[in-house]
Amino acid sequence: MKKDTSNTLKRAQRFPVILIGEGLLVGAVSGLVVMLYRIALTYAGEWLNEILAFVSGHPLRIMGWFVVLMLLALIVGRLVKWEPMISGSGIPQVEGEVLGKLKQDWKRVLPAKFIGGFLCLLGGLSLGREGPSIQLGAMGGQGISRLLDRGRTEERYLMTCGASAGLAAAFHAPLAGMMFALEEIHKGFSVSLLVSVMTASVTADYICSHIMGIDPVFQFDLENVLPQDHYWLLLILGVILGVAGAIYNKVMTKAQDLYKKPKFLNETTRLMIAFFAAGVLGLLMPSVLGSGGNLIVSLTDGEMTLRLILLTFVVKLLFSAVSFGSGAPGGIFFPLLILGALIGGAYAQTFVEFFGMDPVYINNFVLLSMAGFFTAIVRAPITGIILLFEMSGSVSQMLSLAIVSVVAYITATLVKSEPIYESLLNRLLAAQESASGEGTGTKGNAGKTPGSAGGQKVLSEFVIMSGSVLEDRTVMEIHWPKNCLLVALERDGKEIIPRGKTKLMAGDRLTVMTDERDAGYIHDKLENLCYTSF
């Protein structure tokens, strides 16, 4: 297929129709891949429980299990060395590629991430399935794009569709998958993208739920709606979650730094530390192993005392840092929801034991804290609210979910905590820039001029925000980045041909074309022009 400028523009005009069919295909393929991944992780959890029961109380068997854990660490380390892009969550990698700052190879990432994630959960590391599911889904979208020989602009849309399908299939949450893909991955919105992402998300969820059932991920009673005279408790909880989220982000990034300091540690030896820690905790406190779904059951069934909740929170947090900081292929999404639930459980238990609050509301605070903690860490409040509504199957808590999430968001912003996935992406880009000596990162791109033109052309869309430097200025007055061409302007649903004297207004949607090698640089520059006032 030709991918020159004229072809890119002509095909973009047909995107609203083309992307629906392609979104359906991506949703089906990515949904199947992630469903298989979910099934594999389910078996990994069951086998781990059987292994721990088998080795318990037998020193020789315990020694044998630690040998197996070291072998698992060796295999995963080899996979990470073979394909570095599988390290960690996978969400920053997808976000970086959609923004034009990273490159991945779906033929390598798909098998390596699948096997690596499975082995990490089999070993008991405190990691989640959602990050890998999103990356696997996005790689499914990239694979379809490459097999159909699509251009880079279309490929980014299909990767976003795949990411949405991945989260939908992982959590039986199609709306959250759609919102997360738009809010966190693509960081943009258009009608054609929305429809295609929705198609992919719903398709993936239908396939997965048809085979694995339609029960929500979290199944606990929420029979009582929190009375409004208790809402002052939500404000305090939101502040606590905002601060706790900032601490969580600091702990996770600090863990990565600590692993990198000793020169004798490499991809494999770092993982050996994490797997060894999993082996020790498997003997002492097996409840903190894996993603932690069993903790939600114990917490909401009233089986945990306040002291046990606090102890579990501290151990789970530190173990999550040890697991994630090692570079193991696995997400932080689900474990952070578990940590948020523990904060909510401890908070509610405190008011029950010391202030006489009715214990029937404990489960409410568990659910609310998961949404608030997620929002404080990821800084995606809409996704957090929708996700917990879908994962719990309860719509009665929407107002209280919104209050906690907004307060947690504001608090995390005031303490200047950077959103976790942006922070991880910046660190990944900085590491690549340092290793290659080239300015490919966010900071590096922002300060470097783009290269000479060449390669495939990429279309990107940006919306002019009120008060930005572009508002009320003509096209000719703007110092546009090099190798960037303004090709379309949409206002009130109508397309305007941009000319030198065309005056830009807040709400205008700009479509710019650039070379694929300059896409990351142009994205940063246009974001500054459209969204900032200086």
Side-chain angles (χ1 to χ4, degrees):
M1 178 191 293
K2 289 175 61 181
K3 303 182 185 66
D4 56 14
T5 301
S6 60
N7 179 267
T8 300
L9 290 172
K10 288 178 181 177
R11 190 163 181 84
Q13 294 175 348
R14 302 194 298 272
F15 271 175
V17 176
I18 294 172
L19 289 175
I20 294 176
E22 292 181 340
L24 183 68
L25 178 60
V26 170
V29 172
S30 297
L32 283 171
V33 171
V34 174
M35 183 191 69
L36 292 174
Y37 186 66
R38 274 187 67 177
I39 293 172
L41 295 191
T42 300
Y43 279 112
E46 293 175 355
W47 293 345
L48 176 61
N49 291 333
E50 292 175 3
I51 291 170
L52 292 176
F54 176 73
V55 305
S56 179
H58 299 82
L60 288 178
R61 293 178 183 177
I62 291 172
M63 290 176 61
W65 174 233
F66 274 90
V67 171
V68 171
L69 288 173
M70 294 305 101
L71 288 174
L72 293 178
L74 181 63
I75 296 170
V76 177
R78 292 290 177 87
L79 288 171
V80 172
K81 190 172 183 179
W82 179 66
E83 179 48 71
M85 282 296 171
I86 69 168
S87 177
S89 165
I91 294 174
Q93 289 89 325
V94 174
E95 182 181 331
E97 182 158 10
V98 169
L99 296 179
K101 300 176 182 181
L102 289 174
K103 288 187 177 180
Q104 302 175 84
D105 183 354
W106 68 277
K107 294 179 182 178
R108 294 164 65 95
V109 173
L110 262 177
K113 191 76 172 191
F114 194 107
I115 297 170
F118 169 76
L119 294 178
C120 285
L121 267 294
L122 179 61
L125 270 61
S126 180
L127 299 168
R129 65 175 181 250
E130 70 306 313
S133 296
I134 289 171
Q135 189 176 21
L136 290 172
M139 289 300 96
Q142 186 192 78
I144 288 173
S145 174
R146 299 281 170 89
L147 292 173
L148 296 178
D149 194 27
R150 300 305 189 221
R152 289 290 181 264
T153 302
E154 203 163 336
E155 182 173 296
R156 291 181 183 180
Y157 283 131
L158 296 184
M159 286 183 65
T160 304
C161 290
S164 171
L167 184 58
F171 282 154
H172 183 36
L175 290 178
M178 179 186 71
M179 284 308 308
F180 187 81
L182 296 175
E183 194 175 19
E184 182 63 30
I185 300 295
H186 204 88
K187 296 186 183 299
F189 171 87
S190 66
V191 175
S192 56
L193 178 62
L194 172 65
V195 175
S196 60
V197 167
M198 185 185 301
T199 302
S201 187
V202 171
T203 302
D205 180 60
Y206 173 79
I207 291 173
C208 198
S209 60
H210 183 71
I211 296 173
M212 302 189 70
I214 60 174
D215 292 333
V217 175
F218 296 133
Q219 299 182 45
F220 53 86
D221 294 331
L222 283 170
E223 298 176 355
N224 301 279
V225 177
L226 193 69
Q228 291 194 2
D229 59 3
H230 282 46
Y231 274 24
W232 63 274
L233 294 172
L234 302 181
L235 302 178
I236 300 173
L237 178 61
V239 172
I240 293 172
L241 292 170
V243 174
I247 294 172
Y248 176 91
N249 289 355
K250 203 75 175 176
V251 169
M252 290 298 139
T253 54
K254 189 66 176 177
Q256 289 185 325
D257 293 336
L258 290 175
Y259 270 112
K260 291 176 182 177
K261 282 186 178 180
K263 294 183 179 180
F264 62 86
L265 290 180
N266 55 30
E267 294 91 346
T268 301
T269 50
R270 284 196 292 264
L271 286 163
M272 284 182 173
I273 295 174
F275 275 90
F276 182 82
V280 173
L281 288 171
L283 301 174
L284 302 177
M285 199 174 183
S287 62
V288 300
L289 297 182
S291 58
N294 57 312
L295 290 173
I296 292 290
V297 177
S298 300
L299 186 63
T300 55
D301 286 350
E303 299 173 3
M304 300 178 71
T305 63
L306 178 58
R307 183 175 298 180
L308 180 58
I309 293 173
L310 295 174
L311 175 63
T312 303
F313 174 82
V314 173
V315 176
K316 183 69 174 175
L317 174 62
L318 295 177
F319 183 41
S320 296
V322 170
S323 300
F324 183 74
S326 68
I332 58 173
F333 207 106
F334 202 91
L336 76 82
L337 291 179
I338 303 304
L339 290 170
L342 292 170
I343 293 175
Y347 183 79
Q349 286 274 23
T350 300
F351 277 92
V352 169
E353 291 187 18
F354 298 103
F355 300 98
M357 188 181 77
D358 193 330
V360 298
Y361 300 122
I362 290 178
N363 288 1
N364 298 67
F365 282 98
V366 169
L367 176 69
L368 297 173
S369 293
M370 284 192 278
F373 198 54
F374 172 87
T375 299
I377 293 169
V378 181
R379 221 65 61 79
I382 299 175
T383 299
I385 293 170
I386 295 175
L387 178 67
L388 270 299
F389 141 62
E390 289 187 301
M391 290 178 72
S392 66
S394 172
V395 297
S396 61
Q397 317 293 321
M398 292 298 284
L399 177 58
S400 47
L401 277 171
I403 293 172
V404 171
S405 297
V406 169
V407 175
Y409 183 96
I410 294 171
T411 303
T413 303
L414 291 177
V415 299
K416 298 181 179 179
S417 173
E418 187 178 11
I420 187 65
Y421 292 124
E422 288 186 17
S423 175
L424 294 173
L425 175 59
N426 289 339
R427 294 166 73 87
L428 177 61
L429 294 170
Q432 285 206 345
E433 180 179 345
S434 176
S436 64
E438 299 177 359
T440 57
T442 303
K443 294 178 182 177
N445 274 345
K448 294 181 180 291
T449 56
S452 58
Q456 288 193 31
K457 305 306 175 190
V458 177
L459 295 177
S460 300
E461 294 184 336
F462 302 88
V463 177
I464 299 176
M465 304 301 291
S466 178
S468 72
V469 292
L470 296 186
E471 187 181 12
D472 295 329
R473 297 177 67 183
T474 62
V475 172
M476 68 173 62
E477 292 175 337
I478 306 300
H479 181 65
W480 299 97
K482 186 181 177 182
N483 289 351
C484 165
L485 176 65
L486 178 62
V487 296
L489 189 158
E490 183 180 310
R491 181 179 298 162
D492 299 328
K494 298 179 181 178
E495 187 170 315
I496 299 173
I497 299 176
R499 305 181 186 278
K501 295 183 180 180
T502 302
K503 192 173 184 179
L504 302 175
M505 299 172 61
D508 286 352
R509 181 179 297 277
L510 308 180
T511 301
V512 300
M513 176 181 286
T514 185
D515 190 74
E516 64 173 311
R517 75 186 66 175
D518 302 325
Y521 166 85
I522 297 299
H523 178 273
D524 290 346
K525 287 294 186 182
L526 263 297
E527 269 205 338
N528 286 333
L529 289 173
C530 290
Y531 303 146
T532 59
S533 57
F534 55 87

